[in-house]
Each structure stands twice: as C-alpha cells, then as structure tokens.
Amino acid sequence: MKKNFYITTPIYYPSAAPHIGHLYTTVACDAIVRFKRMQGYNVMFLTGTDEHGQKIEQKAKEAGVTPKQYVDEIAEKFQKLWKYVNVDYDRFIRTTDDYHEQAVQNIYKTLLDKGYLYKSEYKGKYCTPCESFWTESQLDENGMCPECHREVKEATEEAYFFKLSAFSDKLEKLLTETDYVQPEWRAKELVNNFIKPGLEDVCVSRTSFTWGVKLPFDEKHIAYVWIDALSNYITALGYENGKFDDMKDFWPADVHMVAKDIMRFHALIWPAMLMALDLPLPKTLSVHGYINFNGVKMSKSIGNVVDPFVLGERYGVDTIRYHILREMPFGSDSDYSNEIMINRINSDLANDLGNLVSRTVAMVVKYFDGTLPSEREEGEFDADLKAMAEKLAPAVEKYIDETKLSLALTEIMTVVSRANKYIDETAPWILAKDPSKAARLASVLYNLLDTIRICAALLQPFMPAMMPKALEQIGAVAEDIEYGKLGKFGVLPENVTVKKGDVLFPRLDVDTEIEYLNSVIAPKKDGYKEDEDLDKANTINIDKFAEVKLRTAEVTTCEKVAKSKKLLKLQLDDGRGGRQIVSGIAQWYKPEELIGKKIIFVANLAPAKLCGEESQGMILCCDCGESVRVITVDAEVPNGSTVR
Ligand code: MSP
C-alpha cells in the first residue's frame, strides 16, 4: 500500500520577484518530494502565493494597476521560476482563489462561533499620510513610518482578535514535549521569547484597507494576516470548500518548511488555530536559516538580490540547486558568495562527480570497447568501497527524513570521493597493461560503475536534470535504480555496456566567472544606480541644505527605553546646556558603547515623542545594509560645533 506524504513551502508574497532565498525553500522541498516519490510515497507538494494585504494594495497603487493585476504578474513569475528549476509541485494555491477565500470566511465563522474570536481595539502606530498602521518592530530606525519616514502616532482601530493566549499551556507542551519544531533549539527559543513572557492575543482583522477577504459576520473587517495565509495549508486540500477532497489523505502535513522569519507564526498561531478548529497538528515544522550575500541580508536597495534565472542560464539549474542545498547548514544561516559558488561547482561537481563518471566510462570504452566481460577478480580496497556504497542509501534516507539536506549531500559526496580514491588505489591504467589482469580490471571498473549507480540515483532528487544523464552513461536502466536496490551492491548487469556522453559539469575558469558574476549580481551596482537616478531627479540647492542645522555633541549617558526593543535614550553635551535624543539603534549598540562618543545630530528637527520619551533631534548614522553605524567625529572637535 502506498504511504501518503504532504509537504508545503510558505506561500510567498508576490510583492517582488523571487530570489535565491525563495528558491532555497522550494528546491529543498522539491528534493525531499522527489526522494519520497522514489521511495514509493504518494506525495502532495504544495506551494503558492500570499496575495492579500496592505502592502500589495499600496504597491499596486504605486504601479497604477489593480491589486489583482499586480499579483497576477508576480504569481506568474513564481510559477515560471519553479518550472525553470524543475520544481515539481502538485498544487499551487493563490490566496485570491475563490475556494480559498470562501474557506477562510468559514474558518473565521467557526472561530467566532467557538468563542476564539472577539472584537476589541487594535492599538498601533498610525501614519496619517500613508493611512497605515505599523507595529513597533516595523518602524524605521528612528521610530518613524517605514514607508514615508514621517512621524507616526498612537492610534486605535476596531479589530477582531484571536485568543492565542488561551493556548499557552498546550503550545508550551507542543514545543517542549514533541519534535514539532526542528531544529530543537529553535523550539527553546520560542518558549523563552514568547511563551514564558506571556502570549498575547493576535489581531486578525483590519478596517484600514480593503484588499483581502471580508469577514462574513462583519463586512467592514478584512481578514488580516495570519489566519488567511496559514489556512492555505488546509484549504488547498479542500478544507471548508468543495474544490478538493484531500484532507482525509494528506492532513496532518508531514513537513511545513519555512525560514526563521516566519517560524513564530507557524509554531504558535498555526497550531493554536488548528487546536481551535479541532484538527490534528502537523508533524514537523522545519525551520531553516537565511541565505545572506557575503554576510549581508539580501535586499533590493543594496542591489545584492541574487536572481536564480541569471545563475541558471550560465551554470545550469542543477548546479544552482546543488550549490544552495549543499551550502545551507541545518537550521543556521548560509552565506552566498560568487567565489564560494564557483569553487564549489569546480570541486564537487566538475572535479569529483563529473570526473568520476567520465573517467570510469572512458576506461570501460578504452579497455573493453564499452562492454564489461563476465570474468571477475576481487581485490584489495573492494570491500571498503562496497561497504560505504551499501550504507549510503539508509544514511541519506535518515537525513532526508530529518530535512538535513546538506548532510545528505555531504554523505553522498563522501562516497564519490572514496570512489575517486579507489581509482588511484587500484590504478586501472596499470592493470590494463597486463592481459592477465583483465578480470581484476573488469572488477575494478564494475565496482566503480555500481558505486556511481548508487550515488547518481541518490543525487537525482537534488539534480533531476543531470543525474539521468550520468545514469545513462554508466548503462543503468530504470530497474537498476529502484529505491529498494540502492542499498545493495552489484545490481548492474555483469556485462553492462556504457555510453560515452557529454561532460556533465564543465570546469569553470574562476577569474572569468567571478568577473562575470560581479558584473551581473555584485552588491550595490543596481542599488547605486537606483539611488543615483533618484538623486538626479531630486536635487536641492545649498539654501535648502543649510536649513538642516547639524551640530556635534558628546554622548554623556545612554540607556535603553523601557517597552521598546529598538530605542536608546541618549543625553548629549551639545555645548549649550544639553539635550535628549531618542534613537532607534538599540539593535546595533549596547548603551555603554556609545558613552563618550562624539556624534553629529540634527539640531532643528521638530521634537517628537517616541515610546513616551521626548526626542530633541536626530543622530546621524550610516545605513550599512545589514547594520547601522553612528557617525562619529574626532575627540578634539568641541561640542556644539556646526557641521556644514
Ligand atoms: N507570505 C508569508 C508566508 C506565509 S506562509 C503561510 C511570507 N512570504 S515571503 O515572501 O516573505 O516568504 C518568506 C519565506 O521566503 C521565508 O520563510 C523563506 O522560506 C523564504 N526566504 C525569503 N528570503 C530568504 C533568504 N534570504 N534565505 C532563505 N529563505 C528565505 O513570509
């Protein structure tokens, strides 16, 4: 009987084109799915797009199109990318699909009827010009509106809340007594950061925008993340809609794969919602880290967003799939850099794997005209190679089940390296010189071919375009790579015939490729271009600049602002009796690090209250992409000097 397996990616926001971060999660799921299918599982692989909300509404407005037109275009880009990189999903859900919207309405209704929703007031930071509410964590580094960088004020709005707090004990049990969140240390992080301090109920409706699902019992309210988004995992199976009938076969999900950014919602709100709906809980939430670019978070304005199409066109899709899956350590961040990628392609794929296949096939052609004879002679080194090859499939299976893909690949590549070493140890070119060693030579080449069979078959889920070619070259047919035969050695027919083919992974010239990649995806190039264009379009004259009064001061004391994770309160000696400035730099500085520093501040900015503290100006900082650094001046500059 076939076993069922259900795996999901997050549904991505179609607010910008997909990049290698989105690619990572989706390709990771695809590799798992292909492995499971190879094992005989009946798989449901779901991905999609999360299309509602204020941000999309705003972006569409800026682009002069309707929100639906806006999301249609980007959702198509996602689908095109998945096709291009051979992501073989079963279902693509869009939260604007009718069946999903209908089901979301039903889910809200059920939650209300069961007493898990209540109407109250949402308190937040409101930006009047943008007509938008923001949470504290969304504000910019100065505590201003993240869109227009103007002042925000405390405001309230009528909203529905989901009683997350009612599930606190059950969630703590889920996180401490089960394996739901992987890696385990992330579960501990959640308990300490969110459950222990006391779970707050979550706001699940808004009235300040219209692009979303209307609540059936109160139509001026729009479903606001996360109920709309999270329920995709069940509506796509037909929950509360007539479109599909797959809940019985595929719920609960086996794996939800997400990155750390949305772990909290999947580890707390999602299970609580399911508990409220009396549905079984998913088995695993697999949380991976971020792909950063040279240690810096990818961002459009820095211009370091890596476009998968650019890489795929130049190096082949499998190469990119392999590289990102191999580089991401389980649960932690991974760093993308052009250099690491080129070197990885050369070492693992061109030198180790590609070479093993081409050398072995070439030797079978050269010494036996492409078909091995039946005579065999066992020898030294055989047992070690065979034992490693036979243990490989169970080891890879275990890692796949634990979603540790990088380790699965490392395991396979270790056997590939072992096989290369076996060539050096057995020296077939020497055996070939002595006709009496033909049987030994045939054994050596057979052992190599059968090791390649196992490795290439296990690599197929990761590199579905190239591995069938490798298998064809060594003469393996479909029956030779059935899953049950991957843990056994000696499956290829004794008189196997190989077929010479193209080089699988050509060796890359490092300097040429780095130069090429730096010209197309190096940080800052495009970001600067955007900045430069904006600068040209927005020039000011010197008088305008002189309106901003900049002066120097020394930080005399500095402390955290209570109730805020972002704000620091600084007392300054400004040479004029002192002033207080509140600055959103707590993420980058400990208070004591700033004491004694000479800084530059805007002296004539209108005073503002941030988290109840008056700020009399603004400190100048550099935005370094990933971090923010305060601009400092020499110690001998007197406090209160004018900067111009
Ligand atoms: N729409 C929500 C998810 C709702 S799921 C019910 C959302 N969308 S998103 O477009 O922002 O996608 C976030 C996800 O994209 C991450 O969790 C991760 O899967 C992937 N990634 C985006 N950038 C990434 C990196 N730089 N590195 C790795 N994965 C990242 O959040």
Side-chain angles (χ1 to χ4, degrees):
M1 200 185 75
K2 272 203 166 185
K3 297 158 282 180
N4 293 336
F5 182 81
Y6 179 32
I7 186 167
T8 66
T9 73
I11 46 170
Y12 303 109
Y13 289 128
S15 48
H19 56 63
I20 56 163
H22 306 107
L23 184 72
Y24 175 79
T25 320
T26 316
V27 162
C29 288
D30 186 64
I32 296 173
V33 161
R34 286 172 183 271
F35 197 90
K36 288 283 165 191
R37 288 200 187 117
M38 189 161 82
Q39 288 180 292
Y41 279 83
N42 179 30
V43 174
M44 172 67 75
F45 174 14
L46 175 72
T47 188
T49 37
D50 185 0
E51 306 191 344
H52 292 129
Q54 192 177 5
K55 192 166 173 193
I56 300 277
E57 195 176 75
Q58 267 171 0
K59 288 233 166 194
K61 205 163 140 198
E62 281 160 25
V65 293
T66 65
K68 185 69 169 78
Q69 285 166 331
Y70 187 84
V71 292
D72 279 352
E73 197 177 309
I74 304 186
E76 197 184 316
K77 273 194 192 148
F78 273 91
Q79 284 166 332
K80 265 196 192 144
L81 175 63
W82 304 148
K83 193 158 182 235
Y84 179 68
V85 295
N86 292 316
V87 164
D88 196 8
Y89 57 79
D90 296 287
R91 219 159 266 178
F92 190 98
I93 187 168
R94 300 180 56 182
T95 50
T96 51
D97 288 336
D98 288 347
Y99 73 91
H100 172 79
E101 293 193 346
Q102 179 209 322
V104 168
Q105 290 195 322
N106 293 343
I107 289 170
Y108 268 90
K109 181 89 183 34
T110 312
L111 293 176
L112 183 81
D113 292 347
K114 291 188 160 200
Y116 291 117
L117 286 190
Y118 63 93
K119 204 182 325 192
S120 178
E121 273 188 335
Y122 172 75
K123 283 197 188 56
K125 307 280 175 188
Y126 190 73
C127 173
T128 315
C130 296
E131 293 178 6
S132 302
F133 270 97
W134 304 105
T135 59
E136 186 82 44
S137 64
Q138 287 171 319
L139 300 180
D140 73 5
E141 60 275 13
N142 296 313
M144 306 284 180
C145 168
E147 288 289 327
C148 70
H149 304 287
R150 277 180 276 208
E151 209 173 317
V152 289
K153 57 175 195 243
E154 290 279 350
T156 52
E157 176 182 80
E158 178 187 282
Y160 284 87
F161 283 75
F162 172 60
K163 277 191 190 165
L164 184 63
S165 56
F167 297 92
S168 193
D169 292 347
K170 283 187 179 169
L171 289 172
E172 183 163 356
K173 270 200 165 146
L174 176 73
L175 298 183
T176 52
E177 293 173 15
T178 76
D179 296 330
Y180 175 52
V181 176
Q182 290 301 319
E184 211 185 300
W185 56 268
R186 292 230 180 248
K188 292 203 179 96
E189 203 178 273
L190 286 160
V191 173
N192 291 336
N193 295 349
F194 297 101
I195 298 190
K196 293 267 190 251
L199 273 183
E200 283 180 22
D201 293 345
V202 278
C203 171
V204 292
S205 84
R206 286 297 164 84
T207 53
S208 49
F209 63 92
T210 55
W211 179 239
V213 180
K214 285 196 169 90
L215 300 199
F217 42 83
D218 199 344
E219 292 228 328
K220 77 174 195 294
H221 284 262
I222 300 293
Y224 182 65
V225 291
W226 281 81
I227 292 190
D228 176 18
L230 289 162
S231 42
N232 92 88
Y233 300 132
I234 47 177
T235 64
L237 298 180
Y239 182 74
E240 289 289 323
N241 65 73
K243 173 95 172 165
F244 304 107
D245 185 22
D246 293 314
M247 282 295 282
K248 59 182 184 332
D249 290 332
F250 291 105
W251 193 256
D254 293 276
V255 178
H256 291 311
M257 172 100 54
V258 299
K260 59 185 184 182
D261 55 340
I262 53 174
M263 160 179 77
R264 179 156 63 101
F265 311 103
H266 285 77
L268 301 172
I269 302 180
W270 181 225
M273 271 174 68
L274 292 165
M275 289 171 192
L277 296 170
D278 287 322
L279 285 173
L281 303 186
K283 291 171 202 157
T284 308
L285 177 67
S286 176
V287 184
H288 61 78
Y290 254 44
I291 300 186
N292 295 322
F293 187 108
N294 291 339
V296 175
K297 188 174 172 185
M298 275 188 280
S299 121
K300 223 175 145 197
S301 63
I302 303 176
N304 64 353
V305 175
V306 182
D307 181 345
F309 286 107
V310 170
L311 297 184
E313 284 304 283
R314 183 113 178 156
Y315 305 111
V317 160
D318 274 8
T319 308
I320 310 309
R321 287 175 60 119
Y322 175 83
H323 175 65
I324 56 176
L325 296 177
R326 171 69 185 74
E327 282 301 311
M328 179 76 89
F330 182 59
S332 320
D333 287 353
S334 92
D335 199 20
Y336 173 91
S337 92
N338 294 334
E339 287 79 1
I340 297 176
M341 184 182 69
I342 298 303
N343 287 324
R344 173 70 70 193
I345 296 174
N346 273 347
S347 68
D348 288 18
L349 299 181
N351 290 357
D352 281 3
L353 179 63
N355 232 352
L356 174 66
V357 176
S358 63
R359 278 165 96 190
T360 306
V361 170
M363 288 191 286
V364 178
V365 170
K366 188 168 172 194
Y367 304 138
F368 296 112
D369 278 338
T371 302
L372 287 185
S374 305
E375 292 72 32
R376 292 286 186 272
E377 186 189 319
E378 291 294 300
E380 206 189 345
F381 312 113
D382 296 5
D384 187 37
L385 179 70
K386 285 184 197 175
M388 272 183 84
E390 287 197 328
K391 276 191 221 143
L392 185 58
V396 173
E397 180 178 321
K398 179 176 163 286
Y399 284 134
I400 294 272
D401 285 342
E402 293 168 354
T403 67
K404 295 177 178 163
L405 303 188
S406 157
L407 292 177
L409 284 171
T410 309
E411 202 73 25
I412 303 172
M413 295 313 286
T414 305
V415 177
V416 168
S417 297
R418 180 67 192 86
N420 276 318
K421 189 168 158 226
Y422 177 80
I423 298 183
D424 298 337
E425 289 164 343
T426 53
W429 51 93
I430 295 176
L431 297 173
K433 286 187 185 142
D434 181 351
S436 71
K437 302 266 171 62
R440 176 66 192 137
L441 179 60
S443 281
V444 166
L445 295 181
Y446 181 87
N447 290 342
L448 287 168
L449 289 175
D450 215 50
T451 305
I452 297 172
R453 171 186 67 87
I454 292 171
C455 293
L458 292 170
L459 282 170
Q460 261 202 115
F462 302 90
M463 293 189 280
M466 298 309 287
M467 288 307 98
K469 293 185 184 171
L471 289 162
E472 195 188 335
Q473 290 191 17
I474 61 153
V477 294
E479 299 92 78
D480 300 331
I481 53 163
E482 283 164 4
Y483 190 72
K485 293 180 180 162
L486 299 184
K488 289 190 195 113
F489 205 83
V491 167
L492 284 174
E494 63 179 21
N495 302 120
V496 61
T497 298
V498 300
K499 199 171 145 204
K500 238 180 155 170
D502 293 337
V503 172
L504 296 171
F505 303 102
R507 208 185 145 70
L508 303 170
D509 179 71
V510 179
D511 293 341
T512 314
E513 295 314 314
I514 299 295
E515 198 182 319
Y516 167 75
L517 287 171
N518 285 346
S519 73
V520 287
I521 48 172
K524 282 300 181 189
K525 285 237 164 17
D526 290 337
Y528 279 147
K529 173 85 181 57
E530 232 172 68
D531 286 350
E532 281 164 17
D533 291 346
L534 279 174
D535 294 347
K536 278 183 204 144
N538 297 300
T539 54
I540 55 166
N541 60 28
I542 191 78
D543 296 338
K544 187 107 184 182
F545 174 69
E547 285 176 19
V548 183
K549 301 294 175 205
L550 300 173
R551 288 206 288 269
T552 59
E554 185 174 335
V555 182
T556 52
T557 64
C558 179
E559 60 187 289
K560 288 192 161 179
V561 172
K563 287 194 273 171
S564 166
K565 283 191 189 134
K566 290 192 160 185
L567 299 177
L568 291 182
K569 185 168 73 174
L570 301 96
Q571 303 301 336
L572 303 180
D573 174 354
D574 62 351
R576 289 165 171 75
R579 69 167 74 200
Q580 168 172 302
I581 288 185
V582 178
S583 178
I585 50 176
Q587 206 180 330
W588 297 286
Y589 286 96
K590 292 197 184 98
E592 59 273 19
E593 287 174 313
L594 288 167
I595 298 171
K597 279 203 192 314
K598 295 239 181 187
I599 53 90
I600 301 175
F601 70 99
V602 182
N604 60 337
L605 195 69
K609 275 225 158 141
L610 302 173
C611 276
E613 294 288 349
E614 174 150 299
S615 183
Q616 303 158 328
M618 188 173 85
I619 288 177
L620 295 196
C621 296
C622 294
D623 183 348
C624 313
E626 179 80 329
S627 73
V628 164
R629 306 308 298 166
V630 168
I631 298 176
T632 54
V633 293
D634 288 350
E636 60 267 26
V637 175
N639 297 336
S641 306
T642 301
V643 180
R644 42 191 176 127

